[in-house]
Amino acid sequence: MKRNSLLLLFLLFISISLSAIYAQYNEVNLMPVPSKLTAGEGKFRVKSNFAMSVKGDCPDRLYSYASRILHRLSGRTGLFFPQDYVTNKSNSDTVSFYIYCDQKANVKLGEDESYSLNITPDRVELRAKNDLGIMRGLETFNQLLSSDEDGYYMPVVKIEDSPRFAWRGIMMDVSRHFMPVDVIKRNLDLMASVKFNVFHWHLSDDQGMRVETKSLPKLNELSSDGMYYTQDQIKDVIKYAQDRGIRVIPEFDIPGHSTSWLTAYPELASLPGPFTIERNWGVFDPTFNPTIEATYEFFDKFFKEISSLFPDEYMHIGGDENSGKQWNSNPQIQAYMKEHNIPNNHTLQSVFTRRIQKILAKYGKIMIGWDEIQHPELPKDIVIQSWRGEKGLAEAAKNGFHVILSNGYYVDLIQPAEFHYLNDPIGPNSKLSDEERKFVLGGEATMWAELVTPENVDSRLWPRTAVIAERLWSPVTVRDVDDMYRRMDRVSFYLEDAGSTHRRNQETMLRRLTNDNDISALKNFVDVIEPVKLYSRHNQGVKYTSYSPYTRVVDAAVPDVKTARDFRKLVDKYLSKKDEISYNEIKTWLTLWKSNHQELLKTIKLSPVLKEIESLSEDLSLMSEGGLQALEMIHSQKKADKSWLDKQTQLIEKAKQPRGQTEIMVTSAIEKLVKSIPGA
Amino acid sequence: MKRNSLLLLFLLFISISLSAIYAQYNEVNLMPVPSKLTAGEGKFRVKSNFAMSVKGDCPDRLYSYASRILHRLSGRTGLFFPQDYVTNKSNSDTVSFYIYCDQKANVKLGEDESYSLNITPDRVELRAKNDLGIMRGLETFNQLLSSDEDGYYMPVVKIEDSPRFAWRGIMMDVSRHFMPVDVIKRNLDLMASVKFNVFHWHLSDDQGMRVETKSLPKLNELSSDGMYYTQDQIKDVIKYAQDRGIRVIPEFDIPGHSTSWLTAYPELASLPGPFTIERNWGVFDPTFNPTIEATYEFFDKFFKEISSLFPDEYMHIGGDENSGKQWNSNPQIQAYMKEHNIPNNHTLQSVFTRRIQKILAKYGKIMIGWDEIQHPELPKDIVIQSWRGEKGLAEAAKNGFHVILSNGYYVDLIQPAEFHYLNDPIGPNSKLSDEERKFVLGGEATMWAELVTPENVDSRLWPRTAVIAERLWSPVTVRDVDDMYRRMDRVSFYLEDAGSTHRRNQETMLRRLTNDNDISALKNFVDVIEPVKLYSRHNQGVKYTSYSPYTRVVDAAVPDVKTARDFRKLVDKYLSKKDEISYNEIKTWLTLWKSNHQELLKTIKLSPVLKEIESLSEDLSLMSEGGLQALEMIHSQKKADKSWLDKQTQLIEKAKQPRGQTEIMVTSAIEKLVKSIPGA
C-alpha cells in the first residue's frame, strides 16, 4: 500500500477525543481501555489467508508471542491459516498483519510499553519501540476480534496506547495453599491478556517456604511439606513471564510470618522452639531474632543464593504483621534493646530491615516491603507496598519513598469489581502534590490463599482483577462502572480462551457437589449467591485450616455474581421506568427462584454436603414468592396490607443471614421491590 | 476389635462366586472390577472423625498417596477431618482406616500389586505385600464412596484383588502435538485411578523430538520447535509416576518416523537433506541410514545419556512404518545390501535393530518395539508391541517373544468403548497354547496425537480408556457390556474428581464456538454427534496439519457419546417391550431434537465457525420429526404409506452423511423406528 492511499485512509478516520471514547465501547470491548482510540469505518476481515509478519530486530520471544496470537485466532475462528509459525522468514504477499519492532526490551521497571495499532480494511500495522509494546498491542488486536454473519473481523480502528502506571501487578500467595507451576503459568498468560506486568510471588509464610535452597537444604526438608518449586522450575517460570513481558518479584516474608522457616532453624527464633509448620490461619508469633548475628549470617547465605536466581532488581522482604510477642517475652532481646537504646518493637524491626537491606544491596537488589518497613534511615530507592490504606501511601510518597498501592485491591476478600475499579492510586480527588505523585509507581492486586486452592483460585482472580489492570493502565478519567461491567463480562470470555479455569472448574465443582446428578438447580442457586465478604468467613462457626475441604458451595460460588448483579440493575431500571420488558424479565427470574427450591431439594437428598444451604435456598424461594407478589402490586398499583408487609420484612431479614458462609445477592433488590409497593 | 468379633463379622458376609459378581455391581461401581468381591451387610459411615493410619515399613510416597486419598475424601464429602496428613505418626484412637504394608515395591515389570480390602461397619483394613498393592486398594476404597440421606458411607465389602496382566499401559504421543508436563501429570493421576501401571511416552516422531539431550544439543535446537521436556522435567514426571506405582517407558521411534531428528542431523539420513520438521500427518520417508557407522555412534551417544535418565529396564525404539523409499533410492545403501547379502528392507531394518539392541544392552536396557522389529536373531527377552492385529501377537508369542497388545486399543480412532472392552489379549476364544499365553504380558492403549491438543486430549482418553484398564486387570469372564457402560459413566465422574478435564473443557470449547452465547442448543446437538471414526477424518476434504485449529465442533464432540448411546438402547427396549415409559422418553428426546435446530440457528448466526454443521443439525431435526411420526404409528399400530416411507428413508440416508467431520449417532435408532412401523 502506498503512502498517499494510507493518508487517504487516515483522513477517513473520525477522530474522537478521550472524553467521548465511551461511545465506542459498544463496538470495541477492550479491557484495559487504550489511552487513545480513533474509530474508523469498515472492517478488517479475518479470512483463511490471514498471515503475520514481523519486521525489525526482534527477539525470539516475540515470534513465539505472535505465533500464539496467530494460533489463538485460528482456534477462535476455526480458520485454517496457511502459516505454521511467525518467524523472521514470514514475509509473503499474502501477509495482512505487519509488526514493526525496533528492539528487544528489558523486562524491568519503567521500560517503554507503548504501541500503536492501525487497523484498516486491508491490513493491520502494529508498531512499538520494543517487543514489550508489541506484546501489549497484540493482546489489544486479539481482543478486538468480532463476528457477523459474513464471518470474522476486527473493526477499523487506530489506537495509540501507553500505560498510566509503570507497576501493574498481581501478588499470588503460594504459601498458604501451594500452587503448582501450571497454575502460575496459566495466570501469567491471563495477566498478559490484560497487560499486567508484575508477578509478585509470595513465596514464604508461616504455612510454607516454597523455594528450593541448595545452600540451606533443611528449608526444603522441613519447611514446605515437600511442596516447593525447584530452582529449575523457578527459572522456567521467570522465562515464561519474561516471554510475556512480565517481571517476577519474589517475596520472602520476614521477620514475622516465618513459622515455616523456624521449623527448620528454631535456633534463629526469638523464643525457643521447636516449631511446626502452621496449619491454621491468622497472625502468628514465631519471629526471627533480630539481635543475633546468626540471623544475618543465615540471610546473607540465603539472599546470596536467591538473588542470582531472580533477575529482577527488586526483592520483596515482606515485613508485615510482626506480632512482637516473642520479642517482648525474650529477656535477651529486651536487654539488647535497652543496651542499644531501641525504644520499641517498630524500631527494633527497622534495625532488622536495615541490616537485610544492606545484604540485599550487596547482592545487587533493591528492597521492597509492606507498609511496616518504612523508616527514615532506609535508602530512598526502596519501594513501599501499601496495604493499610490511603494514609500509608501518602505517607510513603511524602517521605520520598516509591510506593505501590495494594489497599483496596485484596481480591481474596470477594468484594465487587466496582470497589476495586474505583480504587485509584492517584484518584480524581487525590490530595497528593505533583511531586509526591511521581513516587507512586502503581499498584498490585493481592490474592491471599487461605481460602483458595488450585481448583478455584482462578475464579477469585478472574475476571474481576482485569478491572484493576484497567485502573492501572487506562486514563484516570475512565471510570464508568456500567461500561466496566459490560466489558468485564466480555473479557471473562477472552480470559477463558486464554486458559482461565474460572468458569469450567465451577461446573466441575457443582458436579462433585451434586454427586454427578443434574446440576441445574444448584447452578440456579449458585448464580445468585456469593461467599461472605472480607474476613467474615472465618467467623461463621467453621474453623478453616490448610487441610480443610475447599470444595463446598461457598467455594464454587463466585464474587460479583453476574445474574444477581444484572437482576439488581434490572430492578432499579424497572422501579425508575416501570417498563413492560423489565417487568417481564423480573417476573421470569423470580418465578424461577421461587420454584427452584423444590428441584434443589431433590439434589440435596442425593448429596449430603448440600444440606448446609438447604434453608438458604428455601429462603430464596419464599422471598421470591413475596417478590412476585410485590411486583404485581407495583404493576397494578395495589397497596399491601400490613401483615403481608411484616411477613415479607421478616422473610427478607431471615434471608439476609448467611448460611454455609454464603449470602443471597438479590435480597436487596427484592427488598426494594417490597418497599416500592404503594403505601409500603 | 477382637479376633472373635472379627470372625463373627466375617461370617455375616455372603460369599459370592465370580460368576455371580454382576449382581453386586449395582451397589459397587468399581472399575476395574476386582478379582474377588464378597459383599456384606451394612455400611461403613464416613464421618468428620475419619482418620487413617499406616502400619509397617512403608515409603514416603505411600504416606503421600494416602494423604491424597484422605484429602479427596474430604473434598468429595465436604467433611472437616481432624487429620492434616497421613504420616508415620498418625495413630490415635479415632483412626478407622488401617493400612498394613510390609515393604516398598520396586516399580518394575512383574511386581506384586495384589491387595485385600476389608470394609466392616466399624473399620476398614487394607493389606498388601507392598505399597503398590496398597495404592491399588486405596483407589478401590475411594471408588466405593456412596451416599444416602444420612450421609456418606462405603458399603461393607471384602475384596481380594490382583491384576490379570502385569503390563497395563497407555501410550501418549507428545510429538505430533506437544503435551506440557501438567497434562502428563494429570493423566498419570487418572491412570492410577483405574490401576494402569505403564506410561509409554512416545517422545519422538517426524513432527518433533521432545527430550533435552545435553550430549546432542542440536536436537534441542532444531528438532522440536522449542517444545521439549528438560531432563529435570522428565525426572520430575518419572518420580510423579513412580509415586503412583506407574512405570515410565520412553519411546524413540527409529529408524523411520525420524524427520525431526534428521532436521538436526541430515548427514545421518538415507538421502541428502536438508529436512524440516514435518507439519503434516502421514508416513514420511526420511529414515536413518543403517549402513554407516556414524548412525550407530550417534545412537550410542544418545542412548548412553538417555538410559541413565529413564530408570525402567525397558526402552522402546519404535521401528514401525519405515517406508523404505530412501533406502531404495540410495545407491550406497543398495551396494551395501548387495555386499552383505541383505535381501530386502525388512532384513536391513533388522540389521539396524540388532545393532541398536546391542547398544541398549550395553547401557542395561531391554528393547521393546512395534511389530516390525520382530526378527529371529533378536534376544528372547525383548518385547514386541503388537499394533497390526491378532496375528502379530500370536506370531510373537509362538516365536517366544514377550508381547503386549495394542491392536484394538487405538483410542484416538473414536471407536466405542465396547469395541475396546471386548478386545482381549487372551480372549475366551484365544487359540494360544498355555505355553504361548505366558508370553503375553498385557496391553497398551495408544493415544496418537494428530487430532488432539492439551485442551481435548482427556476427552479422547477418558472415560473410555478406563474400560481397557478393566480388560487388563479384571478376570477374563468380566465381559458384560451393559454393566461396563453403567460403571464407565460413573467412573467418568470419579476421573473428573481426580483432575480430568474431559467434561469441563468441552463446555469451554462450546462457549468459544458460540462466541460466548447460550450454549444449550449446541450442547443438545453435540450430545448426539461424534467425530467420524478411524482415519476418515483425513478424507473429508479438510487437510489437517500440526497447526490447524482443533477447536471446532468435531473437536468438542466426544466418542461414545452418552445421550446417543442411551437413546439407541432406549429404542431397542421400546421395540422389544412397547412400554409406556420408553415411549414417553423417546418422544421427549425426539421432540427436543426436532425443535433444537431453530435454536441452534440463532447461535450459528452469531458464530460463523458453526456454519459447517448447520445442515447436519437441520437433518437431525427433520429426521427426528419423522421419528416422532414413526413412533406414533408404532404406538397406535397404524401403517405408513409408501411415499412417507420413501421420504423418511431419503432423510435418513442424507442424515448419515458426515458434515464438519462429525456424524449423528441416533440415526440408526431412528431408522429402526421407521423400519418397525407396521408394514414398513
Side-chain angles (χ1 to χ4, degrees):
Chain A
M1 191 174 281
K2 286 181 192 160
R3 264 178 175 280
N4 51 355
S5 56
L6 253 182
L7 185 70
L8 204 69
L9 255 172
F10 186 72
L11 290 172
L12 286 171
F13 283 116
I14 306 143
S15 227
I16 296 168
S17 73
L18 253 183
S19 61
I21 278 185
Y22 291 126
Q24 293 301 321
Y25 292 169
N26 287 316
E27 289 159 38
V28 291
N29 290 304
L30 296 173
M31 182 167 275
V33 164
S35 44
K36 194 169 173 219
L37 181 152
T38 318
E41 295 287 327
K43 295 169 177 179
F44 169 80
R45 288 277 162 200
V46 180
K47 295 181 191 161
S48 59
N49 63 356
F50 179 84
M52 295 167 82
S53 150
V54 177
K55 292 170 192 289
D57 187 21
C58 263
D60 284 347
R61 68 180 178 211
L62 185 68
Y63 291 103
S64 303
Y65 207 114
S67 296
R68 286 194 299 274
I69 294 289
L70 178 77
H71 296 148
R72 279 185 64 190
L73 209 55
S74 168
R76 287 170 71 193
T77 60
L79 292 169
F80 288 70
F81 298 146
Q83 194 171 17
D84 51 356
Y85 293 92
V86 184
T87 70
N88 56 13
K89 288 169 197 110
S90 306
N91 194 4
S92 81
D93 292 343
T94 68
V95 167
S96 42
F97 187 159
Y98 294 88
I99 293 167
Y100 302 90
C101 165
D102 287 344
Q103 56 180 274
K104 180 176 179 174
N106 290 315
V107 183
K108 56 179 279 202
L109 180 62
E111 189 74 342
D112 194 314
E113 295 174 272
S114 65
Y115 67 92
S116 70
L117 176 67
N118 191 1
I119 301 178
T120 73
D122 300 319
R123 57 186 270 153
V124 179
E125 284 184 14
L126 174 60
R127 293 174 188 274
K129 189 175 161 195
N130 61 39
D131 61 316
L132 222 55
I134 297 293
M135 293 177 194
R136 308 300 176 237
L138 282 169
E139 296 292 345
T140 302
F141 171 76
N142 202 14
Q143 283 195 8
L144 284 169
L145 182 68
S146 309
S147 65
D148 58 21
E149 283 189 57
D150 296 329
Y152 294 93
Y153 71 92
M154 315 280 178
V156 164
V157 78
K158 193 168 157 62
I159 289 170
E160 299 283 341
D161 201 9
S162 59
R164 180 169 164 228
F165 292 106
W167 192 305
R168 307 179 309 281
I170 291 183
M171 187 218 75
M172 281 182 79
D173 171 7
V174 298
S175 175
R176 291 184 176 83
H177 277 107
F178 184 63
M179 301 288 161
V181 167
D182 62 300
V183 177
I184 303 299
K185 285 187 172 176
R186 184 171 76 220
N187 276 287
L188 287 167
D189 281 319
L190 303 176
M191 288 174 67
S193 298
V194 290
K195 302 183 174 59
F196 276 112
N197 69 354
V198 175
F199 172 56
H200 168 170
W201 208 350
H202 185 83
L203 283 160
S204 82
D205 217 301
D206 296 297
Q207 293 80 4
M209 156 65 198
R210 306 294 184 196
V211 179
E212 180 189 21
T213 43
K214 292 177 182 175
S215 60
L216 298 160
K218 270 208 287 177
L219 279 180
N220 309 143
E221 282 163 37
L222 299 171
S223 301
S224 68
D225 297 304
M227 289 179 285
Y228 62 85
Y229 307 102
T230 66
Q231 296 202 355
D232 286 302
Q233 287 175 323
I234 286 172
K235 285 175 198 162
D236 184 36
V237 165
I238 291 168
K239 182 178 181 306
Y240 197 89
Q242 289 189 332
D243 285 353
R244 284 147 185 82
I246 296 172
R247 299 162 56 205
V248 176
I249 296 179
E251 175 182 352
F252 301 96
D253 200 350
I254 50 176
H257 282 285
S258 54
T259 312
S260 60
W261 311 63
L262 298 172
T263 300
Y265 295 92
E267 64 274 21
L268 302 179
S270 299
L271 282 181
F275 303 95
T276 56
I277 295 176
E278 188 56 59
R279 304 286 181 220
N280 299 295
W281 310 136
V283 178
F284 303 97
D285 299 332
T287 308
F288 278 97
N289 186 339
T291 67
I292 56 174
E293 279 310 298
T295 295
Y296 302 105
E297 284 157 21
F298 174 87
F299 281 115
D300 192 290
K301 207 172 193 179
F302 177 79
F303 283 116
K304 183 180 178 186
E305 179 177 351
I306 291 299
S307 294
S308 65
L309 186 60
F310 291 91
D312 201 87
E313 50 184 345
Y314 288 86
M315 175 81 66
H316 204 301
I317 59 123
D320 59 317
E321 294 184 322
N322 169 15
S323 76
K325 287 186 192 161
Q326 286 205 335
W327 293 355
N328 296 341
S329 307
N330 183 336
Q332 176 261 320
I333 292 176
Q334 291 302 313
Y336 180 96
M337 288 170 75
K338 196 167 273 179
E339 187 189 339
H340 292 82
N341 280 323
I342 297 169
N344 53 37
N345 286 340
H346 177 70
T347 310
L348 180 58
Q349 179 160 341
S350 80
V351 170
F352 174 82
T353 307
R354 278 176 287 161
R355 288 287 298 269
I356 295 294
Q357 185 272 326
K358 286 201 179 92
I359 293 171
L360 291 182
K362 183 166 128 192
Y363 298 117
K365 298 294 177 189
I366 306 172
M367 189 168 72
I368 159 170
W370 301 97
D371 280 320
E372 289 93 324
I373 69 161
Q374 259 204 75
H375 191 276
E377 284 178 37
L378 286 167
K380 292 299 177 197
D381 63 350
I382 69 158
V383 175
I384 305 295
Q385 181 161 15
S386 183
W387 70 281
R388 296 195 296 194
E390 230 177 287
K391 218 181 118 193
L393 177 103
E395 201 178 291
K398 274 186 217 312
N399 290 335
F401 288 115
H402 284 113
V403 63
I404 57 175
L405 183 66
S406 275
N407 182 273
Y409 295 142
Y410 273 41
V411 291
D412 59 312
L413 300 185
I414 319 287
Q415 290 167 285
E418 174 177 1
F419 169 80
H420 300 303
Y421 189 59
L422 297 178
N423 182 59
D424 194 324
I426 310 175
N429 303 317
S430 168
K431 296 194 178 66
L432 293 182
S433 70
D434 286 352
E435 187 56 28
E436 287 159 2
R437 287 172 189 227
K438 286 180 192 157
F439 290 101
V440 181
L441 299 176
E444 278 187 9
T446 56
M447 182 66 244
W448 300 104
E450 283 91 347
L451 302 175
V452 293
T453 66
E455 185 170 64
N456 73 346
V457 63
D458 288 16
S459 77
R460 273 58 185 145
L461 276 165
W462 310 108
R464 266 186 321 153
T465 311
V467 313
I468 300 176
E470 174 159 301
R471 172 56 46 235
L472 299 172
W473 177 283
S474 304
V476 61
T477 50
V478 177
R479 289 175 72 86
D480 183 305
V481 169
D482 282 346
D483 191 71
M484 172 276 284
Y485 272 122
R486 188 184 59 71
R487 289 177 295 111
M488 185 184 89
D489 291 338
R490 183 66 190 173
V491 97
S492 173
F493 172 58
Y494 185 71
L495 290 163
E496 177 163 39
D497 182 59
S500 178
T501 64
H502 67 289
R503 295 170 78 176
R504 64 190 99 178
N505 281 8
Q506 187 188 51
E507 286 152 353
T508 292
M509 294 174 87
L510 297 185
R511 280 191 285 269
R512 188 193 288 125
L513 282 165
T514 59
N515 195 19
D516 204 21
N517 288 291
D518 184 5
I519 66 169
S520 53
L522 182 59
K523 181 80 168 86
N524 289 338
F525 177 71
V526 164
D527 277 350
V528 295
I529 63 162
E530 291 179 13
V532 292
K533 312 299 178 294
L534 303 170
Y535 296 101
S536 56
R537 198 167 153 186
H538 299 291
N539 309 321
Q540 306 266 319
V542 179
K543 181 169 162 47
Y544 282 103
T545 64
S546 59
Y547 52 91
S548 300
Y550 294 94
T551 51
R552 294 179 308 135
V553 174
V554 59
D555 305 296
V558 298
D560 228 345
V561 66
K562 180 169 162 51
T563 303
R565 180 163 33 90
D566 290 347
F567 183 78
R568 294 193 299 268
K569 232 179 116 178
L570 182 66
V571 166
D572 285 344
K573 189 180 159 214
Y574 172 69
L575 290 178
S576 81
K577 296 196 179 172
K578 303 278 157 55
D579 59 310
E580 205 68 17
I581 292 173
S582 305
Y583 164 80
N584 285 321
E585 277 184 39
I586 292 171
K587 200 168 164 178
T588 304
W589 282 116
L590 291 173
T591 307
L592 174 74
W593 298 330
K594 180 188 156 192
S595 63
N596 192 61
H597 182 59
Q598 284 309 314
E599 289 305 308
L600 187 51
L601 265 184
K602 294 178 201 163
T603 314
I604 293 172
K605 281 198 179 167
L606 298 167
S607 198
V609 66
L610 295 177
K611 269 229 181 301
E612 63 179 347
I613 51 83
E614 183 176 326
S615 73
L616 196 67
S617 165
E618 189 181 16
D619 285 359
L620 173 66
S621 172
L622 295 171
M623 183 168 64
S624 298
E625 190 177 3
L628 276 169
Q629 292 163 354
L631 183 70
E632 289 312 319
M633 293 185 226
I634 299 168
H635 195 62
S636 56
Q637 290 290 311
K638 276 190 197 143
K639 283 192 179 177
D641 63 44
K642 187 170 176 311
S643 71
W644 183 92
L645 275 173
D646 287 348
K647 192 187 147 201
Q648 295 314 314
T649 308
Q650 269 178 9
L651 277 176
I652 286 166
E653 288 310 309
K654 180 157 176 281
K656 284 179 184 171
Q657 301 308 311
R659 262 139 293 169
Q661 300 108 64
T662 65
E663 52 188 346
I664 300 172
M665 299 306 293
V666 292
T667 312
S668 64
I670 294 175
E671 192 171 22
K672 273 188 194 169
L673 282 176
V674 170
K675 289 193 171 161
S676 302
I677 299 169
Chain B
M1 191 173 283
K2 288 179 189 161
R3 266 179 174 277
N4 52 351
S5 57
L6 255 181
L7 184 71
L8 205 72
L9 256 170
F10 185 72
L11 289 173
L12 285 171
F13 283 116
I14 305 144
S15 227
I16 295 167
S17 74
L18 254 181
S19 60
I21 278 185
Y22 291 128
Q24 293 302 321
Y25 291 169
N26 286 316
E27 289 160 37
V28 292
N29 291 304
L30 296 173
M31 184 169 273
V33 164
S35 44
K36 195 168 172 220
L37 181 153
T38 316
E41 295 289 326
K43 295 169 177 180
F44 169 80
R45 289 277 162 199
V46 181
K47 295 181 191 160
S48 59
N49 62 356
F50 179 84
M52 295 167 82
S53 151
V54 177
K55 291 168 190 292
D57 187 22
C58 263
D60 284 348
R61 69 181 177 211
L62 185 67
Y63 290 104
S64 303
Y65 207 115
S67 296
R68 288 196 298 275
I69 294 290
L70 177 77
H71 296 147
R72 280 186 63 191
L73 208 55
S74 169
R76 289 170 71 193
T77 59
L79 292 168
F80 289 68
F81 297 146
Q83 191 172 18
D84 51 356
Y85 293 92
V86 184
T87 70
N88 57 12
K89 288 170 199 108
S90 306
N91 194 3
S92 81
D93 292 342
T94 68
V95 166
S96 43
F97 187 158
Y98 293 88
I99 292 167
Y100 302 90
C101 163
D102 286 344
Q103 53 180 279
K104 180 175 179 173
N106 289 314
V107 183
K108 57 179 278 203
L109 179 62
E111 189 74 340
D112 194 315
E113 295 174 270
S114 65
Y115 68 92
S116 70
L117 176 66
N118 191 2
I119 301 180
T120 73
D122 300 319
R123 58 187 269 151
V124 179
E125 285 184 16
L126 174 60
R127 292 173 188 273
K129 190 176 160 191
N130 61 41
D131 62 315
L132 221 56
I134 298 292
M135 293 177 192
R136 307 303 174 235
L138 283 169
E139 296 292 345
T140 302
F141 171 76
N142 202 13
Q143 283 195 8
L144 284 170
L145 183 68
S146 309
S147 65
D148 57 22
E149 284 190 57
D150 295 330
Y152 293 94
Y153 71 92
M154 317 280 177
V156 164
V157 77
K158 193 169 159 59
I159 288 171
E160 299 284 341
D161 201 8
S162 59
R164 181 169 162 227
F165 292 106
W167 192 304
R168 306 178 311 279
I170 291 182
M171 187 217 77
M172 282 183 77
D173 172 8
V174 298
S175 175
R176 292 184 174 83
H177 277 106
F178 184 64
M179 301 288 160
V181 168
D182 62 300
V183 178
I184 303 298
K185 285 187 173 177
R186 185 171 75 218
N187 275 287
L188 288 167
D189 281 320
L190 304 177
M191 288 174 66
S193 298
V194 290
K195 304 182 172 58
F196 276 112
N197 69 354
V198 176
F199 173 56
H200 169 170
W201 209 350
H202 185 83
L203 284 160
S204 82
D205 217 302
D206 296 297
Q207 292 82 5
M209 156 65 199
R210 306 293 183 198
V211 178
E212 179 189 22
T213 43
K214 293 176 182 177
S215 60
L216 299 160
K218 270 209 287 179
L219 279 180
N220 309 143
E221 283 164 36
L222 300 171
S223 301
S224 67
D225 297 302
M227 289 179 285
Y228 61 85
Y229 306 103
T230 65
Q231 296 202 354
D232 286 302
Q233 287 175 324
I234 285 172
K235 285 175 199 163
D236 184 35
V237 166
I238 291 169
K239 183 179 181 305
Y240 197 89
Q242 290 190 330
D243 285 353
R244 282 145 186 84
I246 296 172
R247 299 162 55 204
V248 176
I249 296 179
E251 176 182 350
F252 301 97
D253 200 350
I254 49 174
H257 282 286
S258 54
T259 312
S260 61
W261 310 64
L262 298 171
T263 300
Y265 295 91
E267 64 274 21
L268 303 179
S270 299
L271 282 180
F275 303 95
T276 55
I277 295 176
E278 188 56 59
R279 304 286 183 221
N280 299 296
W281 309 136
V283 178
F284 303 96
D285 298 333
T287 308
F288 278 96
N289 186 338
T291 68
I292 56 175
E293 280 310 298
T295 295
Y296 302 105
E297 284 157 21
F298 173 87
F299 281 116
D300 192 291
K301 208 174 192 177
F302 177 79
F303 282 116
K304 184 180 178 187
E305 180 177 352
I306 291 298
S307 293
S308 66
L309 186 59
F310 291 91
D312 200 87
E313 50 184 346
Y314 289 86
M315 174 80 65
H316 203 302
I317 59 124
D320 58 318
E321 295 183 323
N322 167 17
S323 77
K325 286 186 191 161
Q326 285 205 333
W327 293 355
N328 297 340
S329 307
N330 182 335
Q332 176 260 323
I333 291 176
Q334 291 302 312
Y336 181 95
M337 289 171 74
K338 197 167 273 178
E339 187 188 338
H340 291 80
N341 279 322
I342 296 170
N344 53 38
N345 286 340
H346 178 70
T347 310
L348 181 58
Q349 181 161 341
S350 80
V351 169
F352 173 81
T353 307
R354 277 175 288 163
R355 289 288 299 268
I356 295 293
Q357 186 271 326
K358 286 201 179 92
I359 294 170
L360 292 182
K362 183 166 130 193
Y363 297 117
K365 298 295 179 189
I366 306 172
M367 188 169 74
I368 159 168
W370 301 97
D371 278 322
E372 290 93 324
I373 67 160
Q374 258 205 74
H375 192 275
E377 283 177 37
L378 286 168
K380 292 301 177 195
D381 64 347
I382 69 158
V383 175
I384 305 296
Q385 182 163 15
S386 183
W387 70 280
R388 295 196 296 195
E390 231 177 290
K391 218 182 117 195
L393 177 102
E395 201 178 291
K398 274 187 221 309
N399 290 335
F401 288 115
H402 284 114
V403 62
I404 57 174
L405 182 66
S406 274
N407 181 273
Y409 296 142
Y410 274 40
V411 291
D412 59 310
L413 300 185
I414 319 287
Q415 291 167 285
E418 175 178 359
F419 169 79
H420 300 303
Y421 189 61
L422 297 178
N423 182 59
D424 194 324
I426 310 175
N429 303 318
S430 167
K431 295 193 179 65
L432 294 183
S433 69
D434 285 353
E435 186 55 28
E436 286 158 7
R437 287 171 187 225
K438 288 180 191 158
F439 291 101
V440 181
L441 299 176
E444 276 186 10
T446 56
M447 182 67 245
W448 300 104
E450 283 91 346
L451 303 173
V452 293
T453 66
E455 184 170 64
N456 72 347
V457 63
D458 289 16
S459 77
R460 273 56 184 145
L461 276 165
W462 309 106
R464 264 187 323 152
T465 311
V467 312
I468 300 177
E470 173 157 302
R471 173 56 45 236
L472 299 172
W473 177 283
S474 304
V476 60
T477 48
V478 177
R479 291 174 72 85
D480 183 305
V481 168
D482 281 347
D483 191 70
M484 172 277 284
Y485 272 122
R486 187 183 60 71
R487 288 177 296 113
M488 185 185 90
D489 291 338
R490 184 66 190 174
V491 96
S492 173
F493 171 57
Y494 186 70
L495 290 162
E496 176 163 40
D497 182 59
S500 178
T501 64
H502 68 288
R503 296 171 78 176
R504 64 190 100 181
N505 281 8
Q506 187 188 51
E507 286 151 353
T508 292
M509 295 175 85
L510 297 184
R511 281 191 284 270
R512 188 193 289 126
L513 282 165
T514 58
N515 195 18
D516 205 21
N517 289 292
D518 183 4
I519 66 168
S520 53
L522 182 59
K523 181 81 169 85
N524 289 337
F525 177 71
V526 164
D527 277 350
V528 295
I529 63 162
E530 291 179 13
V532 293
K533 311 299 177 294
L534 302 170
Y535 296 101
S536 56
R537 197 165 154 187
H538 300 291
N539 309 320
Q540 306 265 322
V542 179
K543 181 167 159 51
Y544 283 103
T545 64
S546 59
Y547 53 90
S548 301
Y550 294 94
T551 51
R552 293 178 309 135
V553 175
V554 59
D555 304 295
V558 297
D560 227 345
V561 67
K562 180 170 161 53
T563 303
R565 179 161 36 88
D566 289 347
F567 183 78
R568 293 194 299 269
K569 233 179 114 177
L570 183 66
V571 166
D572 285 344
K573 187 180 160 211
Y574 172 70
L575 290 178
S576 81
K577 296 196 180 172
K578 303 280 158 53
D579 59 310
E580 204 67 15
I581 294 173
S582 305
Y583 164 81
N584 284 321
E585 278 185 40
I586 292 172
K587 201 168 165 179
T588 305
W589 282 115
L590 290 173
T591 306
L592 174 74
W593 297 331
K594 182 188 155 191
S595 63
N596 192 63
H597 182 60
Q598 283 309 313
E599 289 305 308
L600 186 50
L601 264 183
K602 293 178 201 163
T603 315
I604 293 172
K605 280 197 179 165
L606 298 168
S607 196
V609 66
L610 295 177
K611 269 227 180 302
E612 63 179 348
I613 49 85
E614 181 175 328
S615 73
L616 196 67
S617 166
E618 189 181 17
D619 286 358
L620 173 66
S621 172
L622 295 171
M623 184 168 62
S624 298
E625 189 176 5
L628 277 170
Q629 293 163 354
L631 183 70
E632 291 310 322
M633 292 186 226
I634 298 167
H635 196 60
S636 57
Q637 290 290 313
K638 275 189 198 145
K639 284 191 178 179
D641 63 43
K642 187 170 176 311
S643 71
W644 184 91
L645 274 174
D646 287 349
K647 192 187 148 204
Q648 294 315 313
T649 309
Q650 268 179 10
L651 277 177
I652 286 166
E653 288 309 310
K654 180 157 176 281
K656 284 180 185 171
Q657 301 306 313
R659 263 140 293 168
Q661 302 108 62
T662 65
E663 53 187 345
I664 301 172
M665 298 307 292
V666 293
T667 312
S668 64
I670 295 175
E671 192 170 23
K672 273 187 194 171
L673 282 177
V674 170
K675 289 195 171 161
S676 302
I677 298 169

